[in-house]
C-alpha cells in the first residue's frame, strides 16, 4: 500500500513504546516533511545517544564521560547515597533540586515473580562505595511489592554497615512510580524519610 | 539533568507530532535499550525513507521508483482518476480494495484563510493527464471548507473537459478526514459519488 521504504520506517516507528499504526504513520509523514539536515540531526542524535551513553561505573547512572555528571560533581555531598531503581528516577529526584547527595542506580529491582535475583541488579557495586565517609543510604525504590522487597533486602545487607539506612517516606502513593511524582511530593518524601535500622 | 546526548535525543523526539516531554523520554529510554543493530535499523529506515521517496511525477503520490506503484501498475483502470488531498488518503482509499482507477495527489487544498492558491498545490499536472481515455475524475478532497472550495474550483476548471467530474458522496462525515474513515464508509462514499457538472 505504501512504498517499501515508507512501510519499513512505519514498522520501525511502531516498535516505540505505545505507538500504534496510525501514530507511526503520523510520525513517518512528519519525518518525510523534515528538511534533509533535520532528518540528519534527528537520526544522529539517536545514534549518538546510543553510542556515547553507558552506565556510570561508580553509580550506574547514565554517563557520557568516564563517570556520570553527578559522580563527577565535586559539589555533591559524598556522605549521602540515594539508591534508585532507574535512571529516570535520578532525573525525577534532580528535578526537585533539594537533594545534594550522590546516587546509586540499581537498574531494576529484585522480583521473585519475574525471577530477578539480587545478583541481576547493580547492587554489588554499592557495598564498596560505603566508606566511613558515607553517613546515610536513602533507599528510593518504588513503593511497589518488588520495590519494597528490594528495600528490605538492601536494609538487611547494610545492617552491619556503620551508616544510617533510610527509606523515602510518605508522599509517594503506594503502587506509584518515583519518576511520575510531582516535585512537592518528592520534597515531602525526602524530608520524611524513615530509618530502616 | 540528563547527559547532553540523551537531552539532544529527547529534544529531537519531542519534535514529532503530539509528542511531549514524558513521551519523548519514554521513546529515548526505549531506544537506549535497543541492541546496536536495532538502532541502526531504526535510523536507517528513516533515512532511507527520506532519501528514496519522492513525489510521483505523474500523480504526486509517494514514489520509490520513477513513478509510484499505482501509476506503474498496468492492471489499474486508466479511465478513472481520483483526486485526493494527501498521500495518506491514497493509502486509505487503497485499504478499501474496491477502487481500481488511478489517483492524483494535490498535496494540499486551496485555502483563502491560509493563503494557499491553486498554483501552490499539485493541480497543473492534472490537466495534461485528462486524455480522451479518462472517463471520470472523482474528487475526494476532505469535506471541509477548504476541501469543498478546492472541489468546486476543480469542477469549474474541468468544466470543458469531456469527462464526468464526480465527488465522493455521503458517508464521510462533514468536518472529517478521508484517511480516518473506516472501509465501509469509504465504500458507501465511493458508490454514492455525485456528478459535479
Amino acid at each position: 500500500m505504501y512504498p517499501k521504504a515508507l512501510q519499513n520506517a512505519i514498522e520501525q516507528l511502531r516498535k516505540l513504546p505505545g505507538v500504534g499504526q496510525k501514530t507511526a504513520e503520523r510520525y513517518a509523514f512528519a519525518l518525510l516533511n523534515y528538511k534533509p539536515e533535520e532528518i540528519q540531526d534527528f537520526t544522529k542524535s539517536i545514534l549518538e545517544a546510543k553510542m556515547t551513553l553507558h552506565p556510570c561505573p561508580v553509580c550506574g547512572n547514565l554517563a557520557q564521560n568516564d563517570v556520570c555528571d553527578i559522580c563527577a560533581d565535586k559539589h555533591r555531598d559524598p556522605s549521602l547515597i540515594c539508591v534508585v531503581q532507574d535512571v529516570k528516577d535520578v532525573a525525577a529526584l534532580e528535578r526537585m533540586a533539594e537533594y545534594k547527595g550522590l546516587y546509586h542506580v540499581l537498574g531494576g529491582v529484585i522480583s521473585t515473580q519475574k525471577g530477578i535475583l539480587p545478583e541481576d541488579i547493580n547492587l554489588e557495586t554499592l557495598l564498596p562505595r560505603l566508606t566511613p565517609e558515607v553517613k546515610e543510604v536513602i533507599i528510593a525504590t518504588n513503593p511497589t511489592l518488588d520495590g519494597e522487597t528490594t528495600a528490605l533486602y538492601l536494609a538487611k545487607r547494610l545492617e552491619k554497615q556503620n551508616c544510617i539506612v533510610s527509606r523515602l517516606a510518605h508522599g509517594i502513593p503506594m503502587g506509584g512510580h518515583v519518576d511520575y511524582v510531582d516535585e512537592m511530593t518528592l520534597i515531602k518524601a525526602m524530608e520524611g524519610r524513615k530509618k530502616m535500622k
Side-chain angles (χ1 to χ4, degrees), chain A:
Chain A
M1 167 184 63
Y2 286 124
K4 192 90 193 78
L6 182 56
Q7 272 186 45
N8 284 348
I10 292 171
E11 241 164 71
Q12 288 291 336
L13 288 162
R14 275 197 68 166
K15 290 183 189 169
L16 290 173
V19 173
Q21 179 68 20
K22 278 277 170 202
T23 308
E25 285 178 14
R26 206 169 152 217
Y27 291 171
F29 279 108
L31 288 165
L32 282 180
N33 284 331
Y34 277 28
K35 296 195 193 87
E37 60 271 25
E38 288 174 327
I39 277 282
Q40 292 289 350
D41 287 348
F42 179 82
T43 53
K44 217 181 86 189
S45 75
I46 290 166
L47 282 171
E48 273 189 3
K50 179 68 187 172
M51 240 98 93
T52 61
L53 298 174
H54 53 86
C56 171
V58 178
C59 75
N61 188 15
L62 273 181
Q64 191 156 5
N65 305 309
D66 289 349
V67 295
C68 76
D69 293 346
I70 293 169
C71 285
D73 186 347
K74 296 283 166 240
H75 296 96
R76 308 290 303 208
D77 180 357
S79 70
L80 283 173
I81 295 181
C82 181
V83 179
V84 295
Q85 289 186 210
D86 200 84
V87 170
K88 274 186 264 193
D89 300 331
V90 173
L93 289 160
E94 285 300 291
R95 269 198 293 277
M96 77 169 171
E98 277 269 315
Y99 177 71
K100 292 294 169 213
L102 301 173
Y103 291 95
H104 194 83
V105 182
L106 298 176
V109 272
I110 300 163
S111 171
T112 43
Q113 214 186 348
K114 295 182 192 154
I116 300 169
L117 303 169
E119 51 264 42
D120 296 329
I121 61 176
N122 182 33
L123 214 151
E124 289 311 313
T125 55
L126 174 61
L127 300 170
R129 296 184 67 189
L130 303 179
T131 57
E133 196 185 24
V134 178
K135 299 278 171 281
E136 185 173 354
V137 173
I138 305 161
I139 304 177
T141 52
N142 289 328
T144 56
L145 180 61
D146 292 344
E148 291 291 345
T149 306
T150 308
L152 290 171
Y153 176 87
L154 213 56
K156 190 90 187 150
R157 280 290 294 270
L158 303 179
E159 217 168 36
K160 281 167 211 131
Q161 298 284 334
N162 202 15
C163 65
I164 298 166
V165 177
S166 60
R167 177 97 177 95
L168 276 201
H170 311 99
I172 306 180
M174 288 301 285
H177 291 265
V178 170
D179 70 328
Y180 273 87
V181 168
D182 64 275
E183 281 87 325
M184 247 351 267
T185 312
L186 276 173
I187 289 171
K188 282 265 172 262
M190 189 59 89
E191 280 170 355
R193 63 186 185 261
K194 285 187 309 194
K195 265 179 89 167
M196 279 182 82
K197 61 153 193 168

